[in-house]
Amino acid sequence: MTPREVDVHKLPAMLTALRLPSFQAHWQAFAARADDEGWSAAGFLAALAECELAERETRRIQRHLTDSRLPAGKTLATFDFEALTTVPRRRIEALAAGDWIDAGHNLVAIGNSGAGKTHILAAVGHALIEAGYRVLYARTTELVQRLQAARRDLALEAALAKLDKFHLVILDDITYAQKDQAESSVLFELIARRYETKSLAVAANQPFSAWKRVFPDEAMAVAAIDRLVHHATILEMNVDSYRRRAAEGRAGKAAAAATTTTDNPTDNHEGAQQTA
Ligand code: ADP
Ligand code: MG
């Protein structure tokens, strides 16, 4: 068959059937440039193929980001490393690279409310998605409820299997709510299933000694913590609440500005308004 016998009008349908949306979107512009600039047929085809691959990667990352339910905006770019005095920056950056995910290791962030646990776990999650991993973010209580509903429908195994496609599951606020026997047992199932094969990242505002809230059955608590921490990076994040510091910072600035204004009324416009 010579090219002349191919019906160009069929091209959109053929490209759709082949799942080549970027070919579809760009072939006319590329063809015009190829004609203008005298590209070879192979060069034209290679340029389109390269474009399809690049856009496919972007679409994939976008899809994985949507699937992840990660809170938007909580990224490494928006994280103030100076504020987290207990963990060196390079340790977080190493986590963002993902070797621990390949090894099926875990991450546990422990610290008071407002310390930045959710932000840092989400930021690592975002970076891992960019690096090609699949991540799911969940508030522990919500995920536990979903798993319990699955268990009632005799579909717990399938629900856990569904989570296997994620290289990393982030369980936020694991100590937040007191869990009963049934709740803690599905959570234990999840931890046991992923042990040494798929990673978990957990945020807790209680030290392990207080995990009786999570697992009222003491033997189960020991077994779960054992599996979680066996191969884990622990981030100790007992630092001042970032929220409170930010609020105090604003209040402090306003107060300082107000004082400055009394000394030198022309110094700070914002302060002048404050005292006015
Ligand atoms: P936690 O989960 O430990 O309670 P969050 O991660 O929710 O704390 O942090 C509380 C708020 O402060 C969030 O809006 C978060 O984005 C912000 N925050 C916390 N730590 C930092 C930080 N080091 N740099 C930038 N923002 C931070
Ligand atoms: Mg949090």
Side-chain angles (χ1 to χ4, degrees), residues 175-193:
T175 48
Y176 188 63
Q178 181 95 41
K179 286 164 192 63
D180 63 22
Q181 183 66 34
E183 289 165 339
S184 61
S185 97
V186 289
L187 186 56
F188 180 79
E189 294 281 332
L190 173 66
I191 293 170
R193 180 184 177 100

Side-chain angles (χ1 to χ4, degrees), residues 73-74 78-84 111-120 172-173 203 237 241-243 245:
K74 307 290 177 200
T78 59
F79 192 75
D80 172 8
F81 286 93
E82 306 265 301
L84 180 58
N112 50 284
S113 172
K117 301 180 299 295
T118 297
H119 193 138
I120 205 68
D172 203 357
D173 288 327
M237 295 179 61
S241 163
Y242 191 86
R243 276 188 283 258
R245 258 180 305 166

Side-chain angles (χ1 to χ4, degrees), residues 27 46 98 114 152 194 209 216-217 228-229 233 242 258 261 273:
W27 76 266
R152 280 194 293 273
R194 294 181 71 91
S209 55
D217 173 336
L228 261 182
V229 304
T233 299
Y242 191 86
T261 322
Q273 282 182 330

